[in-house]
Amino acid sequence: MSNLPAQEGLQDSIAAIDKQERLAAWLQFPRRVIFLLIAYGLASALIASLRRFLSASQSASNNWGTSLIFQRPVAQVISQRLPNTLLLLGVALLFAFVLASLAVLAAVLVHMLEQKTGPLGSILKGLGRLWLFSQAAAPVFLAAMIFIVVLAAQAKLLPLGGMYAPNKQGDPLDAARHILLPALSLALLPAMLAAQATARELTLPRERGGFRLWLGGLLKLWGMLLGQVGGLLSALIVVEVVFAWPGLGLMVINSAMQRDYPLLVGVLGSFAMLVLVGRLLAELFHWLERLALMPISLMQIEPTRWRKLARVLWVSLALVLLLAPLALGAVGLTVDSDTFTKTDAKSRNAPPSAEHPWGTDRLGRDIQARVLRGTSITLGIAALAALAAFIPALLGGLLSGWLASRRVWWSELLADLVLLPADVLLFIPAVLLVAVGVGLQRRQDWVLIVITFVVLLPRLVRVYQSLWLVSPAKRKGIALGVTGPGIVLLGGLLLGFGLVTTASFLGLGIAPPTPSLGGTFEDLSFLLLRNQNGIVAPGLVAWVCCLALYAATDALVGFFTGKEPLARLNE
């Protein structure tokens, strides 16, 4: 009898906590809408300030509302190209949803097999991860170039680029053929990230499943895809350049290189609006997902001995793979400068030989030396930016994560307030931010380091904040204190490496004659159509580095109960 009042008090406390969590859940979407609108307003003010600054620096003969390249009003130029960009974005999202849905179903089946068979299922899961990562973790321009070489140049199944064939302008069937490769290139990475997060949600042990669990998974899938709209727009710029798609992407690069500030800032504002729409839709799906899954609580089940061993083996394999980029970077530092700068008109575009094991480029320079030194420089810039963002990201993610993990409305409100600066910066896609910076300062290494830091910081803050929300209750301190910082550092290196490689590929990164990994892909049409072997070596190096960094980051995230932090890298 003496325990009855204590039990009643405990039940009252649980009921009060449950009431607070429900209130916080119902207020989530309106709260996030308000903060996103505030962040968009601040981002718009930042863009307007940039517009005034650049307008004041231009000569009086230049009309601010007119593109310097096209000699037409900026609004008119953007309105003509924007529908093509929206079409490619929409088809890419549809492809990503289909690919992610198939990957989720396969992951659930493999998980069921692992529960029944143990080692066999774990082996299949590991092989599936490596295959999936190898297909989607490389920079988007590399995937696009591989599709062009294999499916267009060699197999001749699909067109090389453009939106229509010269004699089929306006033909919707011809446009459908032309959009397949660009949309598929765009869809790979967001599909993988969304599938991982959704599959983990569906395979966690819960008190009950059924329709509500699968509905929550579907809502999470769309929320994770739409939440990556910033990363999709960055990749879209690159894909439009590679495939000569007549959208806003190529205009961004040309306006940056030719300092067409009116057009550059106009595209910046247009992309910020697209990010707002995507993030609002993502928040709607996340809100509905939280309401759908709220009655279905997780079960605390101790993993089997084999599952623990399989996790250790996966981490060990990932760490071994991580040695590859470290070794490539170290070897690149030993390359003599004369080797990668010397030109030879007689040996231009030469095949592999004893003197040049990987061949030469169009200027007769040794590809092996340029790739190795370029990898060292690219990894070095990414590492400097990741290290600079490391401590601020941990501090911001710690405060916002601790507040959000309390699951009451006022603490989630404060968490949003802490994240407000990050939300503002996320309205500017990464590649577009690089284009703006290069347009102001030309290509200088320190400019690229600063821009990479600005790109990494808001995303890494949100990575560490997400880790707080999915950290295991029994190992929360160890997970957040040891594994969490490792994820932030490796994730920053992965994102920085991809950004620097992509920027240098677009001609926005490291200034020649200094070699860069992305810069070795210069003169794209020449390499693809006349010397396809010329992209094999740099492509393989970029692929190995990205695969190793992603696998290591994923292995550490596996100690948490969710894979959402990975998708924060592509926001």
Side-chain angles (χ1 to χ4, degrees), residues 60 96 166 299 302 491:
M299 297 174 59
E302 188 69 20

Side-chain angles (χ1 to χ4, degrees), residues 372-427:
L372 292 175
R373 177 54 68 92
T375 302
S376 295
I377 294 173
T378 302
L379 285 171
I381 292 177
L384 287 174
L387 288 172
F390 180 67
I391 298 300
L394 290 185
L395 294 177
L398 184 152
L399 181 56
S400 59
W402 175 75
L403 289 169
S405 64
R406 301 192 65 178
R407 296 293 188 180
V408 293
W409 70 269
W410 61 266
S411 64
E412 292 186 353
L413 182 69
L414 292 176
D416 283 346
L417 188 61
V418 173
L419 287 175
L420 186 59
D423 283 332
V424 173
L425 291 176
L426 289 175
F427 277 101

